[in-house]
Amino acid sequence: MSAAATHHDQAHDHADEHGHAHVPTYLETLRANRLGLWLFCISEVFLFVALIVVRFALWGNTRPELDQALGLATTSVLLISSYFMVRAEVAIAHGDRDKFLNSLLVTFVLGVLFLVGVVGFEWGLFGITFGDHELLKPTDGAFGAVFFGMTGIHALHVVSGLFLILMVYINGRRGGYSTERHWGVEACAIYWHYVDVVWVFFYPILYLIGTPVH
Amino acid sequence: MRQLRILFSLGIVWALIGQAAGAAAGLFLVRAIRAAANLPPSAEAELVIAAMFSVFGSLLFSGVLTDWLKWCVGIETPLRHGDPDGLPAWTRYFSVDYNHKVIGIQYGVTSIIVLLVGGILAIIFRLELSWPGEQFLTPESYNTIFSAHGIIMIASILLGVGAMVNYLVPMMIGASDMAFPRLNAFSYWIAIPSAILIMAGMVIGDGWETGWVGYPPLSTIDGSPLGTQLFILGFYFNGFSSIAGAINLLVTVMIMRAKGMSLWRMPIFVWAAIATSLIQFTATQTVGAAQLMVTTQRVLKLGFFDPTFSNGLGWPAGDPILYQHLFWFYSHPVVYVFVLPGLGIISELLPVYSRKPLFGYKWVALSSLGIALVGFLVWAHHMFTSGMADVLRIPFMLATLLVAIPTGVKFFSWVGTIWGGKVTFETPMLFVLGAISVFLIGGLTGPILGTIPTDLHLHDSYWVVGHFHATMFGGFVFPFFAAIYYWYPKITGHMYNERLGKIHFWLMTPGFWLMSLGQMQVGIWGMRRRIYDYDPALGIEFTHALITLSALIIGWSVLIMIYNLITSSRTERVAAINPWGSRSPEWQVPSPLPEFNYYRPFEVVGEPYDYGVPGSVYVRDVPAAGD
Amino acid sequence: MNYKRHLVIASALVVPVTVIAYFLIAISYKLPFQGSAEAVKIDVMMQAHFVLIAFLFSLVAVLMLYGLVVFRRREGDDGDGDHIHGNTTLEILWTVVPLILVIGFGIWGVNLLNELTDAEAKPNQLLVHVQGQRWSWNFSYPELGVNAPANERAMVREVDDPNDSNNIDLILPVNRPIVLEMVSIDVLHSFWVPEFRVKQDLVPGQTTYLRFTPTAVGNYKLGCAEICGGRHAYMMATVRVVSEACFDQLVVQQLPLAEADASCQYEAMPNYPDSAK
Amino acid sequence: MEEKKSQAYQLIFTIFLVLAFLTLVEYLVSQYLDSMILLLLIAFLKAGLIVNYFMHVYRLWREESH
């Protein structure tokens, strides 16, 4: 029996041995976790801003020719996934367990679709083609570097977000979350929305701003 | 048999095994995939994936991820604490442990070991530089060694900062531990494989030659040694440690302060730790981005920093100066990560040995934040001669000079603290005073580098080398040693050997002065930085010999300290509860502290440095009645 | 405790210590020979910095040491010091005074920098093209359509490996404004002649400029000041500042050194005592 | 309770519609106006909506949880 796991009132015996073991309540842990996650988000802002700065430094007011339909499609897919994520969170907070799980599943599928859009079509990684636009190559100077760098870093976050969703889904099926205690869902949701917010900036910055160079 | 069992219970052993296994797995994976895809073998790609896998393998095998992995599959794990079952108590210092004091000591010891490695490298190339001409190194190995010295010392300093922050902050604010003990352990255990990657870079693939800055195109050009890649990845993974540690610290200070401890009643060191963490958890990301870009440029040919690209369509090419901006946006503020905790230690210890309140507490606290904030606006002063846009030089020059103001506030506050006190000169105080003197040299030689016209001569010269060694020693090394001596009785319960401590001081301080002033002298006479050999016509041979001699003296003095620290913990000299007469909470209870720091929670009822007010106390136990 | 008296004594001590400190700096940190017009201007600022360093060093060091001696704990006294928390007036004072100093130096620096980098074409100026590569320098004179001549005399270069370094000299006419137009073909390099006091990196993919006016005839050494790989230390060249007449013979007419006027032969390096022989 | 619940669903759906609309506007702006400032403004607006309504940033400075 460890002192950390014992209830506060019963911790007196252990106090002599280990000192004052403050056992944080769920709400206290929640507060710390929330703060920590948000600080992590702020920290990551500097990574993404660095990438954006690189984009503006190297591209200036130009951009490569990219498939606009594909860009709008991936953006929409990610936005819809974000909606289903928040729907899942609202559902668990109000005890709708089925709705929670279904929404989570939809989020996951949409996230995978986004990856297919970016990594599959836009990168042409699996040789799948979309429309007839010419694909940008990673070695195409600053255009290739920045585009693949930014979408790559973002895709990495999407992949890790998908892992989180999968984890939450599995735990959710086992009944790991309740109306009162679902920090895991909240954390996963914050992360997923965060990935979406990043794309909210990346989309115009990569696809819309500047004059295309042929 | 038992010894073997104990050996294989140690996390550090498993971390090393895991790193080797991960590296091997990564290597063979890339080889197999490339063979299957009919691609020619690529040493670079193998190395990168092997390095990444090795870090992950090290973390996995050491056991620092175990709790989290269990959480992933829905298993709740109580926080493990206390001495390990069936194993000697010392083994917890070599394994994954979640107690902030254990982690602090792990950081500290690792820091000193890494410091020794960096110091030995310094002495090797100092011997090479003692005389003009080629001594015993080749230019390539010289380049590798001085580059490694730089980055290894930085790793050491980051570990040392981690040690001070981890050990001291929860103790000072009355928390039982950090907010996220597992994350805390993670921060430490990822620093180990990344340090190993950096050191491996020296031996694998002919080292590297870029200095610790790793400027492209030198770091990305065809034929640059493979070691560069390991150095960059080691640097990159070390960043995880900084970011995680800083977030942890900020949350801890935000929500785990003792009752009554308002911001203006925190020990001054905590302010420094906050300022440090604010820098660490933000700026580190940009250098991480820069290192990733260099890696992708090397492996995948993404031309972020490659100016030679042209496809005839007017598409933009990369820009090598862009790297310098990203790099210094982190690497300048990180200098303040190194020195702010040290300056915090100075401000923390001076009142104790002067028996007088810290002069201008609020000003000192705000000056830490001021330095941290201004530190974000001055990065391009490392690039005054780089060829960046002229319009940028002037604002960065003015911002750079502004750093002098909060730094000046600190100096004058320290003098103000001493005046009117009753000063004693134990070893920690000597190191504090040494720190002030050395940091003074470092600080005063800064503005001449800040005004561009004078910088045009001194840039990339040995003046710069002297200047930053003085700031690093004055801002980190001396205060770190002061902190070690000061809290040694708290950590071990034993008193260090005062005589040896004083010998250490009286060897190291003049030695350092000589070294730093000598470096500045040869710099102003025309000695360039990072050169393997120099022109005897400059007339700098004698000074160079002196610099080498003083480097040796500093090296020996540090060995004396290590001897002192090791032997003193085995003596019978049990330290008094409060040998320094400090008001700080940790000195009001017997040493060493219990597992969760305090037997009962305390509340803050006074000012931290109210020396000279009879009967006033800083903290007292929370009355048991309400509990 | 009579602080006022102590403060007066300590402040009085600061003055002589400043003088001594400046004297020590002046003799141990003697700047190299002033080989360019820019060096003269920059050195004024350098000296101002040295005065400031001497003064601030003395100020902090004297107050500190004086305090440590006067306010040391006496035998048998185990009380605390005076209860002084701080002094807002003093804090403001030592925030504002440095601020003014800093602004002063800032304005000076801006003006001087603008002067040094003034891109306006000066009469009689000479454009020199500098190309850096690992690990050698190449110079040409685009306006004259010639390259810098190879160095025929072995220079005093004990540390230099003749196999690795080029032996092309940069020959410059004295007292003419020089504009260096610099490119690098591989990695970063940096052009530094300590006697000229100015420095500029060479960046692949772009052209950088450096402007100065050499004012003394003699031989100087140019070194690469930005780490550029294996033989970075040996990426040196000789800069020979010669009279206008010699420049004409050696560069414009491309005469071999042996056939040029005797006065164009070997020139001592102004501040390298042993190179005169 | 039930009412609160449907309100919550309604709110997030409304926000989603606004976001979708803004995305469309963004696309149209780039095609017809090509204004970098406007595009960035819309991006910030979208981000603000997500941070506030989807990520519940205000929970950070709320004392009690849930």
Side-chain angles (χ1 to χ4, degrees), chain B residues 104-122:
Chain B
I105 289 165
Q106 287 175 332
Y107 265 119
V109 172
T110 317
S111 166
I112 292 176
I113 291 170
V114 177
L115 184 82
L116 282 181
V117 175
I120 289 167
L121 295 176

Side-chain angles (χ1 to χ4, degrees), chain B residues 132-134 139-140 143 146 209-211 213 215-218 221-222 307 319-321 324 350 354-361 363 384-388 390 393-394 397-398 401-402 404-405 408-409 411-416 418-425 429 433 436-437 440-441 444-445 447-448 451-461 463 513 516-518 520-521 523-538 607 609-613, chain C residues 1 3 6-7 10 27-32 42 45-46 49-50 52-53 56-64 66-69 71-73 77-88 90-92 94-95 98-99 102-103 105-110 112-114 116-117 134-135 156 158-159 161 186-188 190 192-195 197-206 208 221 223-236 269 271-274:
Chain B
E134 303 190 12
E140 286 75 20
N143 284 351
F146 87 73
E209 56 184 8
T210 59
V213 294
Y215 282 174
L218 187 56
I221 200 163
D222 287 340
D319 179 3
I321 293 182
Q324 300 180 23
L350 266 184
S354 304
R355 315 304 309 158
K356 202 171 147 284
L358 179 63
F359 197 87
Y361 172 96
W363 291 82
F384 279 160
T385 66
S386 72
M388 67 170 173
D390 261 348
R393 295 213 278 195
I394 286 166
M397 169 166 97
L398 298 175
L401 292 172
L402 286 181
I405 291 157
V409 167
F411 274 110
F412 291 120
S413 296
W414 294 333
V415 173
I418 287 172
W419 271 60
K422 293 185 174 169
V423 187
T424 54
F425 299 95
M429 179 61 167
L433 296 173
I436 296 176
S437 77
L440 182 63
I441 297 294
L444 290 178
T445 51
I448 199 169
T451 51
I452 301 175
T454 45
D455 180 67
L456 293 181
H457 178 55
L458 299 171
H459 204 93
D460 278 326
S461 77
W463 177 278
W513 271 62
S516 185
L517 295 178
M520 290 177 205
Q521 188 188 48
I524 214 161
W525 287 354
M527 171 84 183
R528 296 170 280 150
R529 262 181 98 170
R530 297 175 175 142
I531 53 172
Y532 157 69
D533 191 1
Y534 51 87
D535 189 347
L538 291 172
E607 300 295 322
Y609 304 108
D610 256 350
Y611 295 98
V613 180
Chain C
M1 200 59 74
Y3 289 108
H6 285 307
L7 201 60
I27 56 168
S28 20
Y29 292 87
K30 216 161 158 265
L31 285 154
I42 289 174
M45 194 165 186
M46 289 263 194
H49 270 294
F50 286 153
L52 192 72
I53 290 174
L56 288 175
F57 176 79
S58 312
L59 185 71
V60 176
V62 167
L63 288 178
M64 194 99 197
Y66 187 89
L68 290 176
V69 172
F71 301 109
R72 70 187 184 279
R73 177 187 292 186
D77 176 4
D78 57 354
D80 284 350
D82 290 352
H83 182 75
I84 303 166
H85 259 296
N87 184 326
T88 310
L90 271 179
E91 297 280 0
I92 291 171
W94 62 50
T95 308
L99 186 66
V102 154
I103 291 173
F105 268 91
I107 293 171
W108 187 358
V110 170
L112 187 49
L113 181 69
N114 286 339
L116 297 178
T117 55
R134 299 201 286 175
W135 292 276
V156 189
E158 294 145 43
V159 293
D161 184 347
D186 40 35
V187 300
L188 300 170
S190 192
W192 184 30
V193 177
E195 287 78 9
R197 300 288 190 282
V198 284
K199 186 181 289 131
Q200 176 62 53
D201 285 9
L202 286 68
V203 186
Q206 69 184 66
T208 52
K221 271 190 184 167
C224 172
E226 183 70 63
I227 175 80
C228 57
R231 304 200 70 80
H232 162 60
Y234 299 128
M235 186 172 160
M236 297 172 78
M269 288 190 199
N271 70 332
Y272 296 165
D274 61 338

Side-chain angles (χ1 to χ4, degrees), chain A residues 34-98:
Chain A
R34 233 178 231 154
L35 259 176
L37 185 60
W38 276 98
L39 285 177
F40 174 73
C41 289
I42 296 172
S43 168
E44 291 263 284
V45 165
F46 279 71
L47 169 65
F48 295 115
V49 168
L51 288 167
I52 291 172
V53 166
V54 168
R55 180 257 178 246
F56 279 103
L58 294 181
W59 291 11
N61 202 23
T62 65
R63 64 179 159 88
E65 190 98 35
L66 295 166
D67 193 299
Q68 289 296 337
L70 184 56
L72 194 59
T74 50
T75 307
S76 310
V77 165
L78 199 61
L79 188 63
I80 298 170
S81 86
S82 216
Y83 165 69
F84 278 98
M85 187 77 238
V86 72
R87 190 165 173 264
E89 199 198 333
V90 170
I92 190 72
H94 291 90
D96 279 350
R97 194 159 160 272
D98 288 345

